[in-house]
Amino acid sequence: MAHRTRQLPEHTEESDAPDPSRAADGEAPPDLRIRLVPKRHTGRAFAAALVGLALAAAAWSVVTNPRFQWDVVGQWLTARTIMEGLLLTLWLTALSMAAGVAIGIVLAVMSSSKNRLLSGAAAAYVWFFRGTPLLVQLLFWFNMSAVYPRIVVGLPFGGPELAAFNANHVITPMTAAFLGLALHESAYMAEIVRAGILSVPQGQIRAASALGMTRLQTMRKIVLPQAMRVIVPPTGNQTISMLKTTSLVSVLAIPDLLYSAQIVYSRNFQTIPLLIVATVLYLVTVSVLTLVQSWIERKFSPDGARERRPRTGARTTALDRRLP
């Protein structure tokens, strides 16, 4: 029985199916590129428009309201009395913050000690000074002479006295302000430094101990340098907070920035312009401290700064430029 074989058509490169990419005679080829159309955010645009309108209305009201007396603000913005109050505020901030950081480091080291008396004393210190309002502490130090009229230096428990001072002469309003601000800040700095110490891996501490380093050497050369990346950002925030907190010393009649403004408007009865002067100077000083804080953070975080820095000669596509 003979079998017939059917010959299939040979495969050719050219197909009879119409190619959409080919254009008819006399017609331009169709554009097959994909166009990216951004998604419309109607609600977001509407909310932004409302916020912008509210901000513009508030700015217009502040600028055009004659009761703000901007001419008086400009007159007192660089006055000698106000500048002296600003310098006193900056000096008190720097001195109290330096003492608070130093005491906070000591307390953090004590709290990490295996001696329960040291760790317990540090915990009690933090509990007391962080748990009571700063204004109460300032008033307490200012009235310390009512409890201890004489400050005695000598052996305790009724021992001989080496020196004695009148408390009213030693604890002046400035001394009371410094003690209240520094001791209150040290309680917060102790927790910040302790968190930085805990962020260092325990393996490095054990490696330093295996090399024969003492606990103090390990803390000074291994732990604290690495903990600075965790300690620096909140310390900068605490410094800015300290600058604003110094306004509380006005209750002790210390001529800081706020109290200087209060003295002026108690004489000329221009309360709002002088308060605006104090507000503007606080904002300017805080802005400068924020820039300094950002610079210090970049110094202690070289890896993060290196990642944010674009590579030289790197190509960027249109999609890359759209990415945040």
Side-chain angles (χ1 to χ4, degrees), residues 143-161:
N143 296 280
M144 179 61 68
S145 60
V147 182
Y148 293 101
R150 297 172 64 249
I151 298 178
V152 179
V153 178
L155 297 179
F157 310 111
E161 298 180 0

